[in-house]
Amino acid sequence: EISACLVGSEMCIRDRHTLHIPQYTLNSYTIQNMIFLCPLLQSLHINTIVHISESILQEFLQNHPMLEDLRFNNTGQLSNIIIHTIHSYCKNIHTLYISQCTTTTDQSLLTLLYKLSHLRNLDLTGYGFTNQETIIEIAKLPLTTLRLKQCSRLSYKIFPKFCQYLTKILILSLEDCNINDIGLYAISTYCLQLQHLNIAYCYEISDLGIISIACLLYTSDAADDMQC
């Protein structure tokens, strides 16, 4: 069974498969120790990488090819070099969270996502897309979970095209995104396997948009599991 622990003091964690690292314990020294203490690591959740040197984080990723679940929250300094290291060494990742990332280019991000053939769950909360076509390319991936909270580039103008590729999506989070009733109609038209939808703080949605989702609820086999 996968275990979870916090790295705050020296402890025997050699057989641990999951690590949750809070901000106050995070530094390059901690990461260096993890390279040797966690050779079987499959899941890593880091709250911030501000205090980790790029070279140490790169070395850590190079030494953990078994990683399947990688989550960076508040990663304002996640560079293209680290992105390249992930797709070069961590090819088994099925869950990737890159939250509040402001330094990675769209092209580098797409290169990473294309190379992660096992990727099914993606969270890009607050990601600063520079090109709307990047969002379309992401929708083409075989994802079952996609979270794009606070994605200002995801506008109602491209949303119908975006949804055309989400035919297999099960969980979709669009909290605080610039979508309207047209967007909800596109969801109800194309996302027929949807089980969970988050549209909190989407203030341009009216009752008519909610009705279109209600129709999907009524006709979907997964209606009992749908949440809005």
Side-chain angles (χ1 to χ4, degrees):
E1 182 177 354
I2 292 179
S3 303
C5 68
L6 301 179
V7 176
S9 59
E10 293 185 9
M11 61 184 70
C12 183
I13 55 176
R14 182 166 297 275
D15 295 329
R16 298 295 188 182
H17 290 172
T18 300
L19 286 176
H20 297 269
I21 314 296
Q23 181 174 352
Y24 65 85
T25 65
L26 194 58
N27 51 48
S28 295
Y29 176 76
T30 301
I31 292 294
Q32 282 181 309
N33 284 337
M34 288 167 57
I35 293 174
F36 303 104
L37 292 174
C38 311
L40 303 178
L41 196 65
Q42 296 177 356
S43 180
L44 176 64
H45 304 179
I46 296 181
N47 186 50
T48 178
I49 63 167
V50 173
H51 305 298
I52 302 177
S53 69
E54 186 175 82
S55 60
I56 294 299
L57 183 57
Q58 186 177 20
E59 182 182 2
F60 171 80
L61 293 170
Q62 291 171 346
N63 283 274
H64 290 83
M66 295 177 63
L67 278 172
E68 298 177 353
D69 183 341
L70 184 58
R71 307 187 188 199
F72 292 130
N73 294 319
N74 298 317
T75 52
Q77 297 180 350
L78 192 63
S79 68
N80 288 334
I81 292 176
I82 298 302
I83 292 291
H84 176 77
T85 304
I86 292 172
H87 71 67
S88 297
Y89 293 90
C90 307
K91 300 180 182 298
N92 295 317
I93 291 178
H94 59 68
T95 298
L96 178 65
Y97 284 29
I98 303 178
S99 174
Q100 306 297 336
C101 180
T102 58
T103 57
T104 302
T105 64
D106 285 12
Q107 186 57 51
S108 179
L109 176 65
L110 283 179
T111 300
L112 167 65
L113 299 179
Y114 289 152
K115 290 181 178 294
L116 297 179
S117 59
H118 299 287
L119 186 65
R120 295 298 178 267
N121 308 301
L122 178 63
D123 188 324
L124 294 174
T125 293
Y127 183 85
F129 292 102
T130 58
N131 190 334
Q132 291 185 340
E133 287 302 315
T134 302
I135 304 175
I136 301 299
E137 290 302 310
I138 289 174
K140 295 178 182 179
L141 300 170
L143 301 173
T144 57
T145 300
L146 178 59
R147 293 182 171 88
L148 294 173
K149 178 181 177 181
Q150 298 174 341
C151 178
S152 59
R153 287 283 181 174
L154 184 58
S155 69
Y156 64 90
K157 294 181 180 179
I158 68 167
F159 206 82
K161 184 178 180 181
F162 170 77
C163 287
Q164 289 179 23
Y165 299 103
L166 296 178
T167 57
K168 304 294 184 182
I169 203 73
L170 301 178
I171 299 173
L172 182 62
S173 178
L174 303 170
E175 181 178 344
D176 200 12
C177 288
N178 184 27
I179 65 170
N180 56 14
D181 293 347
I182 296 175
L184 286 191
Y185 180 77
I187 293 174
S188 65
T189 301
Y190 298 106
C191 306
L192 300 181
Q193 297 190 38
L194 195 63
Q195 297 177 3
H196 179 96
L197 175 64
N198 185 349
I199 50 174
Y201 305 107
C202 296
Y203 296 111
E204 296 186 29
I205 294 173
S206 70
D207 291 347
L208 291 177
I210 298 299
I211 289 173
S212 69
I213 290 297
C215 293
L216 175 61
L217 277 170
Y218 182 77
T219 57
S220 173
D221 292 336
D224 292 339
D225 297 322
M226 176 77 81
Q227 301 178 25
C228 295

PDB file of all heavy atoms in Angstrom, residues 1 35 42 49-50 57 63 81 85 96 100 104 120 137 140 148 150-151 155 173 189 199 201:
ATOM      1  N   GLU A   1       0.848  -1.192   0.000  1.00  0.00           N
ATOM      2  CA  GLU A   1       0.000   0.000   0.000  1.00  0.00           C
ATOM      3  C   GLU A   1       0.885   1.244   0.000  1.00  0.00           C
ATOM      4  O   GLU A   1       1.881   1.324   0.705  1.00  0.00           O
ATOM      5  CB  GLU A   1      -0.911   0.012   1.235  1.00  0.00           C
ATOM      6  CG  GLU A   1      -1.863   1.199   1.278  1.00  0.00           C
ATOM      7  CD  GLU A   1      -2.778   1.126   2.482  1.00  0.00           C
ATOM      8  OE1 GLU A   1      -2.726   0.100   3.198  1.00  0.00           O
ATOM      9  OE2 GLU A   1      -3.521   2.085   2.706  1.00  0.00           O
ATOM     10  N   ILE A  35      17.238  11.748  -2.532  1.00  0.00           N
ATOM     11  CA  ILE A  35      17.822  10.994  -3.637  1.00  0.00           C
ATOM     12  C   ILE A  35      18.295   9.626  -3.166  1.00  0.00           C
ATOM     13  O   ILE A  35      18.160   8.619  -3.854  1.00  0.00           O
ATOM     14  CB  ILE A  35      18.991  11.786  -4.266  1.00  0.00           C
ATOM     15  CG1 ILE A  35      18.459  13.041  -4.958  1.00  0.00           C
ATOM     16  CG2 ILE A  35      19.767  10.918  -5.258  1.00  0.00           C
ATOM     17  CD1 ILE A  35      19.552  13.955  -5.474  1.00  0.00           C
ATOM     18  N   GLN A  42       7.452   6.701  -6.056  1.00  0.00           N
ATOM     19  CA  GLN A  42       6.538   6.729  -7.187  1.00  0.00           C
ATOM     20  C   GLN A  42       5.697   7.996  -7.232  1.00  0.00           C
ATOM     21  O   GLN A  42       5.178   8.352  -8.287  1.00  0.00           O
ATOM     22  CB  GLN A  42       5.607   5.512  -7.138  1.00  0.00           C
ATOM     23  CG  GLN A  42       6.323   4.184  -7.287  1.00  0.00           C
ATOM     24  CD  GLN A  42       5.383   3.007  -7.149  1.00  0.00           C
ATOM     25  OE1 GLN A  42       4.195   3.168  -6.870  1.00  0.00           O
ATOM     26  NE2 GLN A  42       5.893   1.806  -7.338  1.00  0.00           N
ATOM     27  N   ILE A  49       8.857  25.167  -4.803  1.00  0.00           N
ATOM     28  CA  ILE A  49      10.252  24.818  -5.119  1.00  0.00           C
ATOM     29  C   ILE A  49      11.139  26.055  -5.094  1.00  0.00           C
ATOM     30  O   ILE A  49      12.238  26.055  -5.627  1.00  0.00           O
ATOM     31  CB  ILE A  49      10.375  24.123  -6.483  1.00  0.00           C
ATOM     32  CG1 ILE A  49       9.939  25.062  -7.611  1.00  0.00           C
ATOM     33  CG2 ILE A  49       9.607  22.837  -6.515  1.00  0.00           C
ATOM     34  CD1 ILE A  49      10.328  24.543  -8.977  1.00  0.00           C
ATOM     35  N   VAL A  50      10.696  27.097  -4.444  1.00  0.00           N
ATOM     36  CA  VAL A  50      11.438  28.348  -4.418  1.00  0.00           C
ATOM     37  C   VAL A  50      12.823  28.174  -3.814  1.00  0.00           C
ATOM     38  O   VAL A  50      13.793  28.797  -4.248  1.00  0.00           O
ATOM     39  CB  VAL A  50      10.646  29.417  -3.641  1.00  0.00           C
ATOM     40  CG1 VAL A  50      11.483  30.674  -3.457  1.00  0.00           C
ATOM     41  CG2 VAL A  50       9.352  29.741  -4.376  1.00  0.00           C
ATOM     42  N   LEU A  57      17.265  19.736  -7.979  1.00  0.00           N
ATOM     43  CA  LEU A  57      15.988  19.187  -8.425  1.00  0.00           C
ATOM     44  C   LEU A  57      16.165  18.346  -9.682  1.00  0.00           C
ATOM     45  O   LEU A  57      15.563  17.280  -9.835  1.00  0.00           O
ATOM     46  CB  LEU A  57      14.998  20.319  -8.678  1.00  0.00           C
ATOM     47  CG  LEU A  57      13.579  19.893  -9.088  1.00  0.00           C
ATOM     48  CD1 LEU A  57      12.960  18.971  -8.042  1.00  0.00           C
ATOM     49  CD2 LEU A  57      12.695  21.116  -9.307  1.00  0.00           C
ATOM     50  N   ASN A  63      17.298  10.627 -10.893  1.00  0.00           N
ATOM     51  CA  ASN A  63      17.492   9.424 -10.086  1.00  0.00           C
ATOM     52  C   ASN A  63      16.191   8.756  -9.658  1.00  0.00           C
ATOM     53  O   ASN A  63      16.219   7.819  -8.856  1.00  0.00           O
ATOM     54  CB  ASN A  63      18.319   9.776  -8.842  1.00  0.00           C
ATOM     55  CG  ASN A  63      19.794   9.936  -9.135  1.00  0.00           C
ATOM     56  OD1 ASN A  63      20.554   8.976  -9.149  1.00  0.00           O
ATOM     57  ND2 ASN A  63      20.210  11.174  -9.409  1.00  0.00           N
ATOM     58  N   ILE A  81      14.390  23.787 -18.205  1.00  0.00           N
ATOM     59  CA  ILE A  81      15.371  22.724 -17.970  1.00  0.00           C
ATOM     60  C   ILE A  81      14.745  21.597 -17.145  1.00  0.00           C
ATOM     61  O   ILE A  81      14.941  20.415 -17.438  1.00  0.00           O
ATOM     62  CB  ILE A  81      16.613  23.291 -17.261  1.00  0.00           C
ATOM     63  CG1 ILE A  81      17.371  24.235 -18.198  1.00  0.00           C
ATOM     64  CG2 ILE A  81      17.528  22.168 -16.781  1.00  0.00           C
ATOM     65  CD1 ILE A  81      18.562  24.915 -17.553  1.00  0.00           C
ATOM     66  N   THR A  85      13.954  17.697 -18.145  1.00  0.00           N
ATOM     67  CA  THR A  85      14.418  16.581 -17.324  1.00  0.00           C
ATOM     68  C   THR A  85      13.274  15.621 -17.008  1.00  0.00           C
ATOM     69  O   THR A  85      13.464  14.394 -17.020  1.00  0.00           O
ATOM     70  CB  THR A  85      15.037  17.100 -16.011  1.00  0.00           C
ATOM     71  OG1 THR A  85      16.091  18.023 -16.315  1.00  0.00           O
ATOM     72  CG2 THR A  85      15.604  15.948 -15.191  1.00  0.00           C
ATOM     73  N   LEU A  96       0.163  14.604 -13.386  1.00  0.00           N
ATOM     74  CA  LEU A  96       1.095  15.729 -13.362  1.00  0.00           C
ATOM     75  C   LEU A  96       0.347  17.000 -12.977  1.00  0.00           C
ATOM     76  O   LEU A  96      -0.625  17.379 -13.623  1.00  0.00           O
ATOM     77  CB  LEU A  96       1.748  15.907 -14.730  1.00  0.00           C
ATOM     78  CG  LEU A  96       2.722  17.083 -14.875  1.00  0.00           C
ATOM     79  CD1 LEU A  96       3.944  16.881 -13.980  1.00  0.00           C
ATOM     80  CD2 LEU A  96       3.151  17.244 -16.334  1.00  0.00           C
ATOM     81  N   GLN A 100       0.388  27.234 -10.888  1.00  0.00           N
ATOM     82  CA  GLN A 100       0.929  28.588 -10.797  1.00  0.00           C
ATOM     83  C   GLN A 100       2.332  28.675 -11.386  1.00  0.00           C
ATOM     84  O   GLN A 100       3.235  29.284 -10.809  1.00  0.00           O
ATOM     85  CB  GLN A 100       0.933  29.061  -9.333  1.00  0.00           C
ATOM     86  CG  GLN A 100      -0.392  28.980  -8.625  1.00  0.00           C
ATOM     87  CD  GLN A 100      -1.454  29.886  -9.243  1.00  0.00           C
ATOM     88  OE1 GLN A 100      -1.131  30.865  -9.896  1.00  0.00           O
ATOM     89  NE2 GLN A 100      -2.725  29.562  -9.037  1.00  0.00           N
ATOM     90  N   THR A 104       7.629  28.622 -17.556  1.00  0.00           N
ATOM     91  CA  THR A 104       7.728  27.602 -18.598  1.00  0.00           C
ATOM     92  C   THR A 104       7.068  28.095 -19.880  1.00  0.00           C
ATOM     93  O   THR A 104       5.984  28.667 -19.842  1.00  0.00           O
ATOM     94  CB  THR A 104       7.051  26.299 -18.142  1.00  0.00           C
ATOM     95  OG1 THR A 104       7.656  25.862 -16.935  1.00  0.00           O
ATOM     96  CG2 THR A 104       7.195  25.211 -19.190  1.00  0.00           C
ATOM     97  N   ARG A 120      -2.623  10.782 -17.824  1.00  0.00           N
ATOM     98  CA  ARG A 120      -4.093  10.784 -17.861  1.00  0.00           C
ATOM     99  C   ARG A 120      -4.682  11.908 -17.019  1.00  0.00           C
ATOM    100  O   ARG A 120      -5.825  12.306 -17.243  1.00  0.00           O
ATOM    101  CB  ARG A 120      -4.623   9.430 -17.361  1.00  0.00           C
ATOM    102  CG  ARG A 120      -4.271   8.248 -18.250  1.00  0.00           C
ATOM    103  CD  ARG A 120      -4.871   8.381 -19.632  1.00  0.00           C
ATOM    104  NE  ARG A 120      -4.504   7.277 -20.511  1.00  0.00           N
ATOM    105  CZ  ARG A 120      -3.459   7.282 -21.334  1.00  0.00           C
ATOM    106  NH1 ARG A 120      -2.678   8.353 -21.376  1.00  0.00           N
ATOM    107  NH2 ARG A 120      -3.181   6.261 -22.106  1.00  0.00           N
ATOM    108  N   GLU A 137      -4.229  21.967 -28.207  1.00  0.00           N
ATOM    109  CA  GLU A 137      -3.354  20.794 -28.286  1.00  0.00           C
ATOM    110  C   GLU A 137      -3.444  19.959 -27.014  1.00  0.00           C
ATOM    111  O   GLU A 137      -3.398  18.723 -27.062  1.00  0.00           O
ATOM    112  CB  GLU A 137      -1.914  21.240 -28.532  1.00  0.00           C
ATOM    113  CG  GLU A 137      -1.666  21.821 -29.914  1.00  0.00           C
ATOM    114  CD  GLU A 137      -2.017  20.829 -31.017  1.00  0.00           C
ATOM    115  OE1 GLU A 137      -1.555  19.672 -30.947  1.00  0.00           O
ATOM    116  OE2 GLU A 137      -2.759  21.218 -31.938  1.00  0.00           O
ATOM    117  N   LYS A 140      -6.348  17.614 -26.967  1.00  0.00           N
ATOM    118  CA  LYS A 140      -6.209  16.442 -27.840  1.00  0.00           C
ATOM    119  C   LYS A 140      -5.552  15.259 -27.143  1.00  0.00           C
ATOM    120  O   LYS A 140      -5.577  14.142 -27.662  1.00  0.00           O
ATOM    121  CB  LYS A 140      -5.391  16.812 -29.082  1.00  0.00           C
ATOM    122  CG  LYS A 140      -6.068  17.840 -29.984  1.00  0.00           C
ATOM    123  CD  LYS A 140      -5.179  18.184 -31.173  1.00  0.00           C
ATOM    124  CE  LYS A 140      -5.816  19.235 -32.059  1.00  0.00           C
ATOM    125  NZ  LYS A 140      -4.948  19.593 -33.212  1.00  0.00           N
ATOM    126  N   LEU A 148      -8.045  23.342 -15.216  1.00  0.00           N
ATOM    127  CA  LEU A 148      -7.521  24.578 -15.781  1.00  0.00           C
ATOM    128  C   LEU A 148      -8.030  25.784 -14.998  1.00  0.00           C
ATOM    129  O   LEU A 148      -8.413  26.802 -15.575  1.00  0.00           O
ATOM    130  CB  LEU A 148      -7.915  24.704 -17.256  1.00  0.00           C
ATOM    131  CG  LEU A 148      -7.313  23.671 -18.202  1.00  0.00           C
ATOM    132  CD1 LEU A 148      -7.908  23.812 -19.592  1.00  0.00           C
ATOM    133  CD2 LEU A 148      -5.793  23.804 -18.264  1.00  0.00           C
ATOM    134  N   GLN A 150      -8.504  29.160 -13.210  1.00  0.00           N
ATOM    135  CA  GLN A 150      -7.909  30.485 -13.405  1.00  0.00           C
ATOM    136  C   GLN A 150      -7.085  30.571 -14.682  1.00  0.00           C
ATOM    137  O   GLN A 150      -6.050  31.239 -14.732  1.00  0.00           O
ATOM    138  CB  GLN A 150      -7.046  30.870 -12.193  1.00  0.00           C
ATOM    139  CG  GLN A 150      -7.834  30.960 -10.899  1.00  0.00           C
ATOM    140  CD  GLN A 150      -6.954  31.191  -9.690  1.00  0.00           C
ATOM    141  OE1 GLN A 150      -5.744  30.959  -9.724  1.00  0.00           O
ATOM    142  NE2 GLN A 150      -7.551  31.651  -8.606  1.00  0.00           N
ATOM    143  N   CYS A 151      -7.540  29.906 -15.715  1.00  0.00           N
ATOM    144  CA  CYS A 151      -6.866  29.951 -17.018  1.00  0.00           C
ATOM    145  C   CYS A 151      -7.522  31.046 -17.867  1.00  0.00           C
ATOM    146  O   CYS A 151      -8.552  30.811 -18.505  1.00  0.00           O
ATOM    147  CB  CYS A 151      -6.951  28.600 -17.713  1.00  0.00           C
ATOM    148  SG  CYS A 151      -6.207  28.581 -19.348  1.00  0.00           S
ATOM    149  N   SER A 155     -10.959  31.111 -23.397  1.00  0.00           N
ATOM    150  CA  SER A 155     -12.087  32.008 -23.596  1.00  0.00           C
ATOM    151  C   SER A 155     -13.221  31.303 -24.329  1.00  0.00           C
ATOM    152  O   SER A 155     -13.059  30.223 -24.914  1.00  0.00           O
ATOM    153  CB  SER A 155     -11.652  33.242 -24.381  1.00  0.00           C
ATOM    154  OG  SER A 155     -11.347  32.892 -25.716  1.00  0.00           O
ATOM    155  N   SER A 173     -12.237  20.695 -14.493  1.00  0.00           N
ATOM    156  CA  SER A 173     -12.328  21.849 -13.598  1.00  0.00           C
ATOM    157  C   SER A 173     -12.008  23.121 -14.375  1.00  0.00           C
ATOM    158  O   SER A 173     -10.919  23.269 -14.918  1.00  0.00           O
ATOM    159  CB  SER A 173     -11.360  21.704 -12.419  1.00  0.00           C
ATOM    160  OG  SER A 173     -11.420  22.848 -11.590  1.00  0.00           O
ATOM    161  N   THR A 189     -22.480  18.934 -25.347  1.00  0.00           N
ATOM    162  CA  THR A 189     -22.520  18.321 -26.678  1.00  0.00           C
ATOM    163  C   THR A 189     -21.419  17.281 -26.869  1.00  0.00           C
ATOM    164  O   THR A 189     -21.664  16.215 -27.451  1.00  0.00           O
ATOM    165  CB  THR A 189     -22.380  19.408 -27.761  1.00  0.00           C
ATOM    166  OG1 THR A 189     -23.445  20.345 -27.625  1.00  0.00           O
ATOM    167  CG2 THR A 189     -22.420  18.786 -29.157  1.00  0.00           C
ATOM    168  N   ILE A 199     -17.414  24.601 -12.194  1.00  0.00           N
ATOM    169  CA  ILE A 199     -17.558  25.882 -12.888  1.00  0.00           C
ATOM    170  C   ILE A 199     -17.781  27.019 -11.883  1.00  0.00           C
ATOM    171  O   ILE A 199     -18.464  28.008 -12.172  1.00  0.00           O
ATOM    172  CB  ILE A 199     -18.709  25.840 -13.920  1.00  0.00           C
ATOM    173  CG1 ILE A 199     -19.985  25.298 -13.283  1.00  0.00           C
ATOM    174  CG2 ILE A 199     -18.308  25.003 -15.130  1.00  0.00           C
ATOM    175  CD1 ILE A 199     -21.194  25.350 -14.193  1.00  0.00           C
ATOM    176  N   TYR A 201     -17.268  30.340  -9.825  1.00  0.00           N
ATOM    177  CA  TYR A 201     -16.745  31.670 -10.148  1.00  0.00           C
ATOM    178  C   TYR A 201     -16.677  31.939 -11.649  1.00  0.00           C
ATOM    179  O   TYR A 201     -15.876  32.759 -12.101  1.00  0.00           O
ATOM    180  CB  TYR A 201     -15.365  31.881  -9.514  1.00  0.00           C
ATOM    181  CG  TYR A 201     -15.348  31.657  -8.029  1.00  0.00           C
ATOM    182  CD1 TYR A 201     -14.752  30.517  -7.480  1.00  0.00           C
ATOM    183  CD2 TYR A 201     -15.961  32.549  -7.154  1.00  0.00           C
ATOM    184  CE1 TYR A 201     -14.755  30.292  -6.104  1.00  0.00           C
ATOM    185  CE2 TYR A 201     -15.973  32.334  -5.788  1.00  0.00           C
ATOM    186  CZ  TYR A 201     -15.370  31.210  -5.275  1.00  0.00           C
ATOM    187  OH  TYR A 201     -15.388  30.997  -3.921  1.00  0.00           O
TER     188      TYR A 201
END
